[in-house]
Amino acid sequence: MSDLLVLEGLRKQFGDFTAVDGISLQVGVGEVLGFLGPNGAGKSTTMKMAAGFLEPDAGHATICGHDIGNAPKAAKKMLGYLPEGAPAYGEMRVGTFLSFCADVRGLSGAEQQKAIDLAMARTGLEPVADQVIDTLSKGFRRRVGLAQAILHEPKVLILDEPTDGLDPNQKHHVRELIKELSADRAIIISTHILEEVDAVCSRAIIIDKGKVVADGTADELRKQMPGRRKSNLDDVFRHFTSLEEAAA
Amino acid sequence: MSTVLAIAKRELKSYFATPIAAVFLVVFVVLCGVFTFQVGRLFDRGVADLAPFFNYLPWLFLILIPAVAMRLWAEERKSGTIELLMTLPVSPGEAVTGKWLAGTLFVALALVLTFPMWITVNILGDPDNGVILANYIAALALASVFLALGGCASAFTRNQVVALVLSVVGCFILLTAGMPLVLDAISGYVPTAIIDAVRSISALSHFTSIARGVLLVPDLVWVVSMVVFWLFATVAVISLKKAD
């Protein structure tokens, strides 16, 4: 099967508030899906459910054919996940943190060292390998989270705001990395930076109030805008997400 | 199993990466010395054994073990690393067991560091080293039960102080359940069967029983079932409220 990541009718309610209201999507090999939406639209909640951290009230998330609810271990082995805010054990050194992640993922010995070296090289972490994570800048900390996510060469990557807090050079670097990784993987990134969609994503989904409101390539989204010939993505974003706001 | 060990290894390392390990070990060893020699009057007794040390140990554990356990889960919640841990291929059971194992190994190290007292009584006299060994085993068993309970308290909250207070109270109830203090308070209101049940979960009676040097099956059953019960409770708490 070509769809490595499949979400089917995911729903999540917090009290009276419906954070995610029936989101379905598929991501196949070689695809980078941009997950767009205003703050509070349910991006992170959806990703937490896809990664198996939150249990959905309804619906399924399947990674490489393994249901994350019924076969969490098999699914999580194929998954690299960067949680929102890139949490990491602050008192650990970058190298020891990555070797813990590798231990848990069953990589050992020379294989582990190779994986850590490659992940650090890809994310530019070599200069801070022996530094305590708490003492790192925001940009480096984000890259530690990225390194942890790609360490075991997962088939599916779920990255929640991978470029948040990075400077323009670092953003460019991370986007290049995502493009490089996307060849034989399925990747989903959440962002509210629209230029990112043009820069790295092969497809984008806009969600608002927990529902998918638009789905397509950047060009297709532009065409869905009524009235205007050449609209930019900012207009598309505002068009789809403000409609709902007016209705509320 | 290797996952459990990886978790335990990381947890142990993080004790030593922060001042917790140094502070705990120093305070523990100094307090053991104070209770044994000053309060327990080891020298004045004229008996070559470590009874004063082991008599005070459960009460020392009452405060110090919750301090070891309080960060186990509260810290993960506070820093958000619980989201990382729970999305790695780790089951809640493995994570809970690994953390408990790390705490138990850490306390074992603290107990090993009290060896000067063992040397002291061996120089001064001719103690029954078998009894002393049994006492150490009883102490570690008691600590492992307290750690399992403290870990469960830590899983409830993101605040380490709340976790500390909850587990001190829990350990106190467990420790004193067989004492008149508790039994008198409930006798008259509840049937004898419940009083017997409360008495049988009391930590202190099992501790003294193991420490006497006779490892009885009921005591062993008590230790194992207590640890398993609290680890299961922790797994339930973690699974039910991962994201809070």
Side-chain angles (χ1 to χ4, degrees):
Chain A
M1 59 185 286
S2 63
D3 286 336
L4 296 179
L5 174 69
V6 180
L7 306 184
E8 278 171 298
L10 285 183
R11 263 180 69 88
K12 184 76 190 174
Q13 206 142 355
F14 297 112
D16 285 342
F17 174 67
T18 307
V20 175
D21 193 4
I23 287 193
S24 300
L25 56 87
Q26 297 85 32
V27 193
V29 184
E31 260 193 299
V32 181
L33 176 72
F35 207 44
L36 300 165
N39 290 326
K43 296 192 297 282
S44 289
T45 308
T46 306
M47 291 182 134
K48 281 178 209 248
M49 287 192 281
F53 181 58
L54 284 178
E55 268 138 52
D57 295 335
H60 299 277
T62 314
I63 290 167
C64 299
H66 304 289
D67 187 298
I68 197 117
N70 298 333
K73 270 207 167 179
K76 285 170 185 177
K77 274 186 185 155
M78 314 299 268
L79 167 73
Y81 175 51
L82 172 70
E84 187 182 18
Y89 294 103
E91 75 281 355
M92 296 180 93
R93 289 170 202 285
V94 174
T96 17
F97 172 68
L98 291 179
S99 92
F100 160 68
C101 296
D103 279 346
V104 169
R105 297 221 178 253
L107 298 167
S108 58
E111 194 190 9
Q112 171 177 133
Q113 198 50 52
K114 217 177 112 196
I116 293 175
D117 288 345
L118 181 63
M120 288 216 270
R122 277 173 161 173
T123 49
L125 282 172
E126 291 109 330
V128 295
D130 288 324
Q131 224 167 300
V132 175
I133 293 173
D134 265 344
T135 66
L136 296 176
S137 68
K138 203 177 170 193
F140 270 124
R141 240 180 280 182
R142 180 83 29 169
R143 284 188 271 167
V144 171
L146 262 177
Q148 162 275 124
I150 63 172
L151 187 65
H152 52 296
E153 305 276 344
K155 279 290 170 202
V156 175
L157 272 173
I158 298 179
L159 308 173
D160 201 346
E161 305 199 337
T163 58
D164 186 42
L166 302 184
D167 67 35
N169 289 336
Q170 295 166 337
K171 273 184 190 159
H172 176 76
H173 182 87
V174 168
R175 284 172 194 162
E176 291 301 307
L177 175 65
I178 291 173
K179 269 192 241 170
E180 180 196 322
L181 291 172
S182 69
D184 54 350
R185 272 166 250 254
I187 303 180
I188 171 164
I189 63 170
S190 81
T191 178
H192 41 235
I193 310 164
L194 296 160
E195 52 180 288
E196 209 138 270
V197 176
D198 278 321
V200 289
C201 298
S202 55
R203 187 157 70 97
I205 278 181
I206 301 178
I207 69 165
D208 192 44
K209 302 261 176 359
K211 287 194 172 95
V212 175
V213 290
D215 180 353
T217 64
D219 285 334
E220 281 167 7
L221 290 181
R222 283 192 190 90
K223 278 185 203 140
Q224 287 184 40
M225 275 288 291
R228 261 181 265 179
R229 293 212 105 167
K230 272 198 178 174
S231 51
N232 63 25
L233 275 178
D234 275 345
D235 295 327
V236 179
F237 184 85
R238 236 173 286 127
H239 169 72
F240 282 111
T241 55
S242 62
L243 267 181
E244 294 283 318
E245 208 167 60
Chain B
M1 193 60 207
S2 67
T3 315
V4 172
L5 291 180
I7 305 259
K9 192 171 114 190
R10 194 211 71 74
E11 207 62 48
L12 262 181
K13 271 187 191 162
S14 94
Y15 278 122
F16 287 95
T18 53
I20 299 174
V23 170
F24 179 86
L25 293 174
V26 170
V27 167
F28 178 74
V29 172
V30 168
L31 282 181
C32 283
V34 169
F35 278 112
T36 309
F37 296 108
Q38 301 293 319
V39 185
R41 303 229 153 263
L42 180 85
F43 292 134
D44 299 346
R45 292 172 76 238
V47 184
D49 66 7
L50 284 177
F53 168 52
F54 290 111
N55 286 342
Y56 286 108
L57 205 52
W59 304 100
L60 203 52
F61 275 173
L62 180 61
I63 307 296
L64 291 180
I65 299 293
V68 175
M70 68 179 184
R71 52 176 289 288
L72 287 177
W73 288 100
E75 174 104 345
E76 298 263 1
R77 286 195 193 283
K78 181 138 197 154
S79 65
T81 46
I82 189 167
E83 188 170 353
L84 182 78
L85 185 63
M86 290 290 115
T87 51
L88 288 169
V90 176
S91 71
E94 288 167 337
V96 166
T97 312
K99 279 167 179 282
W100 167 81
L101 183 64
T104 304
L105 290 174
F106 182 69
V107 175
L109 172 68
L111 284 171
V112 167
L113 290 180
T114 61
F115 72 91
M117 276 187 272
W118 174 70
I119 293 176
T120 308
V121 289
N122 269 284
I123 290 172
L124 293 175
D126 187 19
D128 185 342
N129 282 321
V131 170
I132 291 179
L133 182 66
N135 271 289
Y136 270 113
I137 292 172
L140 190 61
L142 182 67
S144 70
V145 171
F146 279 8
L147 278 164
L149 190 156
C152 187
S154 175
F156 270 104
T157 173
R158 50 169 50 216
N159 185 320
Q160 297 198 17
V161 177
V162 173
L164 177 74
V165 172
L166 280 179
S167 64
V168 169
V169 171
C171 292
F172 182 76
I173 292 172
L174 201 58
L175 195 59
T176 56
M179 290 185 154
L181 171 76
V182 174
L183 292 182
D184 288 354
I186 58 167
S187 68
Y189 304 104
V190 295
T192 8
I194 293 189
I195 296 183
D196 286 342
V198 170
R199 188 183 287 126
S200 70
I201 64 155
S202 158
L204 209 52
S205 58
H206 290 286
F207 173 77
T208 39
S209 158
I210 303 173
R212 238 182 280 126
V214 274
L215 203 58
L216 296 169
V217 175
D219 302 316
L220 203 63
V221 170
W222 178 81
V223 172
V224 174
S225 54
M226 271 291 159
V227 169
V228 170
F229 171 79
W230 288 112
L231 293 187
F232 263 109
T234 316
V235 170
V237 173
I238 293 296
S239 311
L240 286 177
K241 41 178 282 176
K242 266 188 260 184
D244 298 352

